[in-house]
């Protein structure tokens, strides 16, 4: 980690998306947190939320849509809106394909305790596989189907049920600077195109896959037309824009009130059993981030604790040195899902390295297998011939573009 410049207050490095440093070496994410903690009149914000909810209550079959993964943030959002306001929401889950057993049980327990309607959608796995491989090739991020589906599909459900109010959990300014706490952040198409879809629309994907999927297959990943949303006078907001977001406090409450249970995540330190427990590909996602950017989830978690005055910077540095840079066992499963060899996986990830980080594969250590690893589905491996079609097309495009692959040939 010595080669990367890091924030002098937290431990985020210069390869973190949207990060900048001021004259004191403090990053813009930390400065946003200062603003959040000292400048915002949260009592006034709460009154704004009161007015917003009052304007939408009892206007259709449901008072609002709550997008829901079953993780800590969406569970807290659902809990808070039902308990604080007595809302009748439609809870909407977009299933990304990798839900872990504990999250499924947490969901069942939460829905029964709160007594709410639940809408669950699982997209075509064959389509998901192709999308995963294509965006991993092009962006070094295989989660395009998840990013876009989670934010587009609930808006389609809002239209279908004529429910104009959609309430999400934390604002993005908790983690990045695409928005800051002094800017209004609506979860709309502008935000969707700013960073959610990685700069690739569903129409772009249709072209890039050259007929391998139907346009109708991509509808769940496509933001609905703005004119249709305007007809129902939609609002799509973050709960964290109206109440101060504090993950650890919220986790304690949903544990006590709903019996929500933590879990382990690959290469995440003890004490953070609430973080990203809903996806069994999380370890692979974090590993790719390490290859590309030279840091991973422990840096992010420790930085949050520093900003909330729960950890010193020295403790954070020791933590990330101990837990970052390990190969997750779930990588074997991912390679089966997308039909790649590990050598190809590393080459592709290296082609997306963010300067000035320089990855050294020889320093990577093996990570530990999780307790529920053997319960994860092995169904639906991508045939090698199908993967080769996309892989070869990507190589040819790079060759035509003269990409010699600075940090790894295609």
């Amino acid at each position: 980690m010595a080669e990367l410049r890091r924030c002098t207050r937290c431990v985020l490095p210069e390869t973190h998306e949207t990060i900048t440093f001021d004259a004191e070496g403090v990053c813009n994410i930390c400065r946003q947190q200062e603003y959040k903690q000292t400048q915002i009149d949260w009592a006034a914000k709460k009154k704004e939320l009161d007015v917003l909810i009052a304007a939408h209550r009892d206007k259709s079959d449901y008072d609002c849509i709550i997008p829901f993964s079953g993780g800590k943030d969406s569970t807290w959002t659902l809990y808070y809106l039902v308990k604080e306001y007595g809302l009748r929401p439609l809870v909407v889950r977009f299933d990304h394909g990798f839900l872990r057993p504990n999250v499924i049980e947490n969901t069942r327990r939460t829905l029964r305790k709160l007594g709410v309607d639940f809408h669950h959608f699982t997209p075509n796995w064959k389509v998901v596989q192709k999308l995963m491989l294509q965006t991993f090739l092009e962006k070094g991020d295989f989660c395009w189907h998840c990013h876009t589906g989670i934010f587009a599909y609930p808006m389609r459900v809002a239209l279908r049920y004529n429910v104009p109010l959609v309430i999400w959990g934390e604002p993005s300014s908790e983690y990045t600077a695409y928005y800051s706490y002094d800017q209004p952040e609506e979860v709309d198409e502008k935000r969707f195109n700013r960073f959610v879809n990685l700069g690739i629309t569903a129409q772009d994907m249709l072209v890039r896959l050259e007929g391998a999927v139907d346009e109708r297959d991509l509808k769940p990943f496509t933001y609905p037309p703005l004119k249709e949303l305007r007809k129902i006078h939609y609002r799509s907001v973050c709960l964290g824009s109206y109440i101060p977001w504090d993950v650890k406090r919220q986790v304690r409450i949903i544990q006590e009130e709903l019996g929500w249970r933590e879990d382990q995540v690959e290469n995440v330190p003890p004490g953070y059993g609430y973080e990203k427990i809903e996806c069994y590909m999380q370890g692979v996602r974090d590993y790719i981030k390490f290859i590309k950017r030279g840091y991973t989830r422990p840096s992010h978690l420790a930085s949050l604790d520093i900003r909330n005055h729960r950890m010193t910077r020295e403790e954070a540095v020791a933590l990330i040195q101990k837990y970052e840079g390990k190969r997750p066992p779930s990588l074997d499963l991912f390679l089966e899902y997308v039909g790649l060899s590990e050598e190809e996986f590393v080459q592709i990830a290296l082609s997306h390295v963010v300067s000035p980080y320089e990855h050294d594969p020889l320093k990577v250590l093996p990570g530990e297998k999780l307790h529920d690893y053997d319960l994860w589905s092995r169904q639906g491996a991508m045939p090698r011939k199908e993967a080769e079609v996309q892989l070869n097309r990507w190589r040819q495009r790079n060759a035509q573009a003269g990409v010699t692959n600075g940090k790894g040939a295609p």
Side-chain angles (χ1 to χ4, degrees):
M1 63 177 273
E3 69 273 16
L4 289 179
R5 181 187 181 193
R6 295 192 182 238
C7 173
T8 55
R9 181 174 299 173
C10 73
V11 286
L12 287 181
E14 57 192 313
T15 51
H16 182 72
E17 56 183 334
T18 71
I19 200 168
T20 59
F21 302 105
D22 64 17
E24 299 175 32
V26 177
C27 75
N28 48 348
I29 318 296
C30 283
R31 293 301 188 198
Q32 287 177 183
Q33 289 300 310
E34 281 183 351
Y35 185 88
K36 168 191 169 183
Q37 294 171 6
T38 62
Q39 301 299 312
I40 296 178
D41 182 347
W42 287 108
K45 286 289 181 183
K46 176 67 165 54
K47 289 180 180 176
E48 289 180 25
L49 181 61
D50 295 344
V51 171
L52 180 67
I53 287 176
H56 290 86
R57 190 190 294 275
D58 299 330
K59 297 294 174 60
S60 57
D61 287 346
Y62 298 99
D63 296 325
C64 68
I65 300 286
I66 300 180
F68 183 86
S69 68
K72 64 186 187 311
D73 296 308
S74 60
T75 301
W76 164 257
T77 301
L78 174 59
Y79 169 81
Y80 181 84
L81 292 172
V82 170
K83 291 295 183 181
E84 178 73 11
Y85 289 99
L87 290 183
R88 173 185 167 83
L90 176 60
V91 181
V92 178
R93 169 186 273 164
F94 178 89
D95 185 342
H96 46 59
F98 309 112
L99 293 173
R100 293 177 63 186
N102 179 53
V103 165
I104 293 172
E105 281 305 309
N106 274 342
T107 299
R108 192 193 319 275
R109 198 179 302 113
T110 296
L111 297 176
R112 290 187 177 187
K113 288 203 172 189
L114 293 178
V116 292
D117 287 357
F118 186 48
H119 177 112
H120 183 120
F121 174 76
T122 305
N124 182 330
W125 172 250
K126 295 295 185 185
V127 173
V128 166
Q129 281 180 301
K130 292 179 174 62
L131 298 175
M132 286 169 58
L133 178 54
Q134 194 64 30
T135 47
F136 179 52
L137 290 168
E138 295 195 29
K139 295 291 183 179
D141 184 342
F142 63 90
C143 298
W144 183 90
H145 78 285
C146 181
H147 301 319
T148 55
I150 283 176
F151 287 99
Y153 185 76
M155 305 308 292
R156 292 190 170 275
V157 175
L159 286 173
R160 184 182 308 169
Y161 287 91
N162 194 31
V163 181
L165 181 60
V166 182
I167 305 182
W168 308 77
E170 77 280 23
S172 67
S173 42
E174 279 289 289
Y175 313 107
T176 61
Y178 290 106
Y179 293 85
S180 60
Y181 264 107
D182 60 348
Q183 294 177 304
E185 180 177 356
E186 299 257 344
V187 190
D188 55 12
E189 189 173 18
K190 177 181 177 183
R191 183 183 186 273
F192 187 81
N193 290 326
R194 180 176 286 188
F195 63 90
V196 169
N197 69 3
L198 308 175
I200 303 177
T201 67
Q203 283 298 323
D204 294 334
M205 194 62 79
L206 191 66
V207 171
R208 287 167 179 176
L209 288 173
E210 298 188 359
V213 298
D214 190 284
E215 186 171 4
R216 291 171 297 176
D217 293 330
L218 297 177
K219 206 165 183 180
F221 314 98
T222 308
Y223 212 82
L226 184 57
K227 64 180 181 182
E228 292 185 24
L229 291 169
R230 283 178 172 165
K231 283 181 183 175
I232 65 170
H233 305 289
Y234 85 109
R235 289 292 307 277
S236 178
V237 300
C238 299
L239 180 60
S241 296
Y242 299 96
I243 63 170
W245 208 254
D246 183 346
V247 167
K248 287 197 169 180
R249 183 184 68 82
Q250 294 161 190
V251 166
R252 283 197 298 272
I253 293 172
I254 60 175
Q255 286 175 329
E256 293 170 2
E257 299 296 325
L258 301 176
W260 190 87
R261 294 175 185 165
E262 298 188 353
D263 212 337
Q264 297 173 300
V265 176
E266 288 173 310
N267 304 326
V268 168
Y272 295 102
Y274 52 81
E275 176 75 8
K276 293 295 181 186
I277 64 170
E278 58 268 36
C279 177
Y280 56 72
M281 284 294 106
Q282 189 60 48
V284 178
R285 179 169 170 75
D286 290 344
Y287 183 49
I288 293 171
K289 189 172 188 174
F290 185 78
I291 294 174
K292 290 167 57 180
R293 298 178 183 272
Y295 78 104
T296 185
R297 193 153 301 277
S299 287
H300 159 74
L301 293 168
S303 294
L304 286 175
D305 272 344
I306 290 171
R307 295 183 198 122
N308 285 298
H309 316 293
R310 294 168 176 150
M311 181 179 285
T312 66
R313 193 175 187 284
E314 290 71 26
E315 291 171 332
V317 169
L319 194 74
I320 62 178
Q321 287 177 336
K322 184 175 181 180
Y323 286 95
E324 292 195 340
K326 296 182 179 178
R327 179 197 184 279
S330 59
L331 180 58
D332 294 334
L333 201 52
F334 176 77
L335 297 176
E336 291 178 21
Y337 285 153
V338 295
L340 296 177
S341 69
E342 184 160 353
E343 180 181 6
E344 290 166 339
F345 169 87
V346 173
Q347 285 182 337
I348 295 164
L350 284 173
S351 73
H352 296 283
V353 166
V354 176
S355 179
Y357 178 63
E358 295 184 6
H359 183 68
D360 183 356
L362 297 178
K363 292 183 179 178
V364 174
L365 300 172
E368 295 182 6
K369 187 185 290 187
L370 297 183
H371 68 94
D372 59 343
Y373 177 83
D374 293 331
L375 300 175
W376 301 349
S377 175
R378 267 66 180 168
Q379 302 297 316
M382 177 179 270
R384 175 62 186 178
K385 285 186 178 179
E386 290 184 19
E388 284 179 345
V389 171
Q390 290 182 238
L391 187 60
N392 290 335
R393 191 162 54 217
W394 175 72
R395 286 170 168 157
Q396 289 170 7
R397 285 177 180 165
N398 277 352
Q400 290 169 358
V403 176
T404 55
N405 188 357
K407 306 296 180 182

